[in-house]
Amino acid sequence: MPGDGKPRLLIANEKLLTVPARAMFLHEINTTVPRTTRALFSIAVFHLTMGCVFAAIGSIGRTVSPARAHATIAVVLGLGTAYWALFIWSRRAALAAGIVGLAVYMGIFMLELIVFLTAIDPLPSSAPFVVQRVLGFVVGLLISLSFVILLLRGVLADLRIRQLLKDSG
């Protein structure tokens, strides 16, 4: 109200906000917008680091053929590079990059699930190998789930910011 003595700010569509409301609005934007960017950065660093670790120690080649080990390293490093590109893009368009990142990660997860369930690579009958493969899948599932949650939280935060910006002007 014009006569209540509180300082007011004029924003784009000529709605008036008090100074404390404007400060809360800016704080909300500054704390939620980078979530998608941080999530994409975390996923990129994880994949690039794991790809380098696999390549350096070569432990992945102990249970599978060297060709499959090299393919796995290439896929992990490729995903890391793709998520690095999405991280860079997210600094300009966080919502779009987050949605693409979420779609890519869900697609990779579904492909991994299909490969695991259909057992394209026949499992040896030795019990330790089967246990190792199932444990590897479970660990991969937990890591994938944590990244999906990070990306989903980032996308939801970006949608909330978009709504706040729409409501405020």
Side-chain angles (χ1 to χ4, degrees):
M1 298 253 152
D4 63 3
K6 294 182 181 174
R8 305 261 179 199
L9 291 178
L10 191 62
I11 57 176
N13 69 349
E14 298 184 13
K15 288 184 180 178
L16 295 175
L17 288 179
T18 63
V19 173
R22 177 81 174 158
M24 285 175 41
F25 177 71
L26 292 175
H27 175 71
E28 179 75 16
I29 288 176
N30 290 331
T31 57
T32 57
V33 169
R35 280 189 187 162
T36 301
T37 303
R38 285 190 307 241
L40 291 169
F41 178 76
S42 300
I43 294 170
V45 168
F46 174 80
H47 280 89
L48 291 172
T49 302
M50 293 309 293
C52 291
V53 167
F54 289 159
I57 62 175
S59 67
I60 198 167
R62 293 183 189 153
T63 59
V64 296
S65 68
R68 179 164 280 210
H70 290 109
T72 301
I73 292 167
V75 167
V76 171
L77 289 174
L79 278 173
T81 304
Y83 275 94
W84 190 263
L86 287 172
F87 160 69
I88 292 170
W89 181 31
S90 74
R91 292 186 285 176
R92 288 184 168 253
L95 181 60
I99 290 171
V100 169
L102 190 59
V104 168
Y105 218 89
M106 291 303 295
I108 295 297
F109 173 73
M110 295 308 288
L111 183 64
E112 182 182 354
L113 183 65
I114 290 168
V115 168
F116 179 77
L117 293 177
T118 58
I120 290 173
D121 181 31
L123 291 172
S125 60
S126 65
F129 185 76
V130 172
V131 170
Q132 177 185 4
R133 180 140 180 192
V134 170
L135 285 177
F137 178 75
V138 170
V139 168
L141 176 70
L142 292 175
I143 291 171
S144 295
L145 198 57
S146 66
F147 286 148
V148 166
I149 289 170
L150 277 175
L151 283 170
L152 196 55
R153 287 186 62 194
V155 167
L156 291 174
D158 290 338
L159 287 171
R160 189 171 72 225
I161 289 301
R162 181 173 277 203
Q163 185 63 39
L164 281 172
L165 291 173
K166 182 180 170 188
D167 290 347
S168 70

